Amino acid sequence: MKKITIAIDGFSSTGKSTIAKQLANKLHYVYVDSGAMYRAVTLYAMQQGFISKNVFNFDKLISDLPKINLIFKFNSALGFAEMYLNGMNVENEIRSLEVSKLVSKVAEISEVRRKLVEQQQQMGIHKGVVMDGRDIGTVVFPNAELKLFINASAEKRAQRRFEELIKRGDKVTFDEIFKNVQYRDHIDSTREDSPLIIADDAIEIDNSDMTLEEQFNNIYKITLDKINEVS
Ligand code: CDP
């Protein structure tokens, strides 16, 4: 069967990465979480003191971009690839609310996007890739054979992310997660460079009231139909 490119876009905390990981495992494709790359660049800028709640020194971050090395390393125990920033495993740190609060401002910077999009396109050059993010079907892989756009209500998304963070022991409130989800939705969809928009040829899926199993079965069928259609 022919290998295709699968682009999964959507608003924050829609469960894109869960679907993308499941699909990649089932099809033996490579899974790439493009958001992890924006998060890792944000963590770097935080560590260097270039950004914080009140500081946004984007010029320093831009001139440091060549020093930022991002690599995904597959962890067979977990079944997915973890993010390494300059040789350090940052998979856990990049998921914190502190990073979530700053990442959308970093993702607005065109120089950052250019660097990451180039690396993402390289990772998908041989197809057989499932990548999730905000601009995958519109900018990174405009020719992807399958484009999915996932959505759910802001309340449901915030509740899912809240439970995830509580489970790993973070001290967060539902209210601050809900605010962060809405804040990122706004910045991501109104920024000038590569805003989050639905590609004309994307299939929209609202998973507010779907179980994980229903969602997977539904999307897996769509995927197999597409692979058969192009093979
Ligand atoms: O929290 P969630 O898993 O939904 O987000 P993420 O996929 O980890 O992405 C974090 C942030 O990175 C987003 O809110 C966007 O600001 C940015 N991003 C982007 O601009 N373009 C992408 N392709 C992926 C993420």
Side-chain angles (χ1 to χ4, degrees):
M1 263 198 295
K2 200 174 154 187
K3 287 203 171 204
I4 63 166
T5 300
I6 304 175
I8 305 184
D9 288 303
F11 290 100
S12 79
S13 319
T14 39
K16 301 180 298 291
S17 61
T18 306
I19 305 161
K21 273 180 213 159
Q22 287 173 327
L23 267 186
N25 282 339
K26 188 89 180 175
L27 297 167
H28 302 291
Y29 278 21
V30 173
Y31 162 58
V32 180
D33 173 0
S34 69
M37 300 169 75
Y38 289 92
R39 286 174 177 275
V41 171
T42 305
L43 181 66
Y44 176 89
M46 289 163 73
Q47 287 170 342
Q48 302 300 316
F50 298 160
I51 59 167
S52 66
K53 202 173 164 203
N54 308 308
V55 179
F56 285 100
N57 197 334
F58 290 153
D59 291 342
K60 283 210 167 136
L61 172 59
I62 292 167
S63 60
D64 254 19
L65 282 176
K67 293 190 197 160
I68 303 179
N69 179 256
L70 303 176
I71 291 177
F72 286 103
K73 272 195 211 166
F74 191 75
N75 178 328
S76 51
L78 294 174
F80 63 88
E82 296 179 293
M83 182 85 257
Y84 282 72
L85 164 63
N86 293 337
M88 295 284 291
N89 183 335
V90 292
E91 184 60 33
N92 199 41
E93 261 178 293
I94 58 171
R95 310 289 164 191
S96 69
L97 181 59
E98 284 66 41
V99 172
S100 296
K101 282 183 177 169
L102 296 168
V103 63
S104 289
K105 296 303 282 177
V106 170
E108 280 187 309
I109 307 170
S110 291
E111 288 83 350
V112 170
R113 303 205 70 83
R114 212 172 303 136
K115 174 183 167 95
L116 300 192
V117 167
E118 209 181 288
Q119 193 175 341
Q120 289 153 8
Q121 288 172 334
Q122 280 303 318
M123 289 189 273
I125 209 155
H126 301 299
K127 294 191 177 272
V129 68
V130 187
M131 192 175 292
D132 78 322
R134 304 291 187 283
D135 59 343
I136 311 304
T138 50
V139 176
V140 181
F141 300 127
N143 298 323
E145 289 85 351
L146 178 60
K147 298 180 187 178
L148 301 171
F149 190 95
I150 316 292
N151 209 348
S153 70
E155 286 82 1
K156 282 266 167 151
R157 293 187 279 126
Q159 185 61 35
R160 290 173 187 160
R161 183 53 51 94
F162 175 62
E163 283 165 15
E164 241 170 60
L165 292 176
I166 290 293
K167 211 187 262 172
R168 54 176 242 167
D170 289 10
K171 295 211 171 0
V172 291
T173 64
F174 172 78
D175 199 46
E176 59 184 340
I177 302 293
F178 188 43
K179 282 204 182 99
N180 180 252
V181 160
Q182 291 174 306
Y183 168 74
R184 283 198 286 137
D185 285 356
H186 176 71
I187 299 193
D188 292 347
S189 43
T190 55
R191 69 177 171 227
E192 225 159 85
D193 189 344
S194 322
L196 169 62
I197 47 168
I198 308 177
D200 290 339
D201 48 353
I203 299 170
E204 272 188 80
I205 295 171
D206 187 311
N207 66 13
S208 303
D209 298 312
M210 274 186 204
T211 65
L212 279 180
E213 202 186 349
E214 275 167 357
Q215 165 173 275
F216 180 71
N217 292 338
N218 178 10
I219 292 179
Y220 188 55
K221 184 176 179 315
I222 294 173
T223 307
L224 290 184
D225 287 348
K226 179 54 82 177
I227 292 176
N228 285 328
E229 183 190 316
V230 301
S231 291

